[in-house]
Amino acid sequence: WTNRMELCGGSLVENTIHAIDLLRYQLNDDYKSVSAFYCERPFDPDPMCINLPHVYNANYQMKSGTVVNVTTSRVLTNTRSGRRETLIICDDVLFEYSHDKVIENGELVWEAKERESPFDIQSRQFLAAVRTGETSLVRNTYSSSLNSLAAVLGANESASKGGEVVRCVSRDG
């Protein structure tokens, strides 16, 4: 099902939503609008073949006016190679982070001691919160995370309309 657009909503919904959610949290802001373009994969009538776009590019404007560009790809489908990183660029700050390091203005701020899957860390944290009932272990509420879902679904809608700007409606208006 994760290879079918009609079942999973695509790579922005299935995977990149975590980065979309993290940016909302880090910027303490919500998405206002999105314009998106996708590079579609050639059509294959075989229902077992992947039918997700090759590349997704979404340009978001936050409520504060901050501009965010998100690009993700399903081009490397037959290799374990990949790269996930986030860049935050603003006045006098270049902040780069990935699963194994954080760099601020060219200086290493944090580096992982061991290579551990971010999904493993996230899963352990979530399960600990559920088991103990300690909500402070979860950085974002389920209700608030629906704003991130609105942002990725808005990107899908925009791409289906040739990049038309789509308003991201958040739970707080």
Side-chain angles (χ1 to χ4, degrees):
W1 66 272
T2 59
N3 286 339
R4 306 298 299 169
M5 187 72 170
E6 66 276 12
L7 297 177
C8 74
S11 295
L12 276 181
V13 173
E14 183 63 30
N15 290 309
T16 309
I17 192 169
H18 301 293
I20 296 289
D21 204 39
L22 183 60
L23 283 169
R24 280 184 51 252
Y25 177 79
Q26 289 178 320
L27 297 173
N28 193 28
D29 203 355
D30 253 317
Y31 296 96
K32 177 182 174 184
S33 60
V34 59
S35 173
F37 296 91
Y38 298 168
C39 178
E40 297 295 338
R41 190 176 300 272
F43 176 74
D44 188 326
D46 181 352
M48 298 306 291
C49 287
I50 187 170
N51 75 345
L52 303 177
H54 279 300
V55 179
Y56 306 71
N57 183 271
N59 296 290
Y60 290 97
Q61 182 176 31
M62 307 300 283
K63 288 183 176 181
S64 67
T66 301
V67 177
V68 174
N69 175 272
V70 175
T71 301
T72 195
S73 171
R74 286 294 301 255
V75 174
L76 301 174
T77 56
N78 296 316
T79 180
R80 297 193 53 81
S81 175
R83 183 173 127 186
R84 289 190 175 119
E85 68 181 15
T86 300
L87 302 175
I88 298 176
I89 305 167
C90 52
D91 290 340
D92 298 321
V93 177
L94 172 58
F95 186 73
E96 309 165 66
Y97 71 86
S98 64
H99 64 276
D100 61 349
K101 64 184 168 188
V102 175
I103 299 172
E104 184 176 357
N105 293 338
E107 299 213 12
L108 185 65
V109 175
W110 172 84
E111 189 168 22
K113 304 263 188 282
E114 297 176 18
R115 173 104 166 121
E116 184 173 23
S117 164
F119 290 109
D120 290 345
I121 296 168
Q122 181 182 29
S123 296
R124 272 199 316 277
Q125 194 80 353
F126 177 74
L127 289 173
V130 170
R131 286 179 180 136
T132 65
E134 181 57 51
T135 58
S136 68
L137 295 173
V138 179
R139 303 278 193 253
N140 204 359
T141 66
Y142 180 77
S143 177
S144 173
S145 295
L146 291 175
N147 295 345
S148 298
L149 181 60
V152 294
L153 293 178
N156 283 353
E157 181 180 346
S158 172
S160 75
K161 295 178 176 180
E164 180 181 309
V165 175
V166 171
R167 185 171 173 263
C168 300
V169 179
S170 63
R171 289 185 51 85
D172 60 358

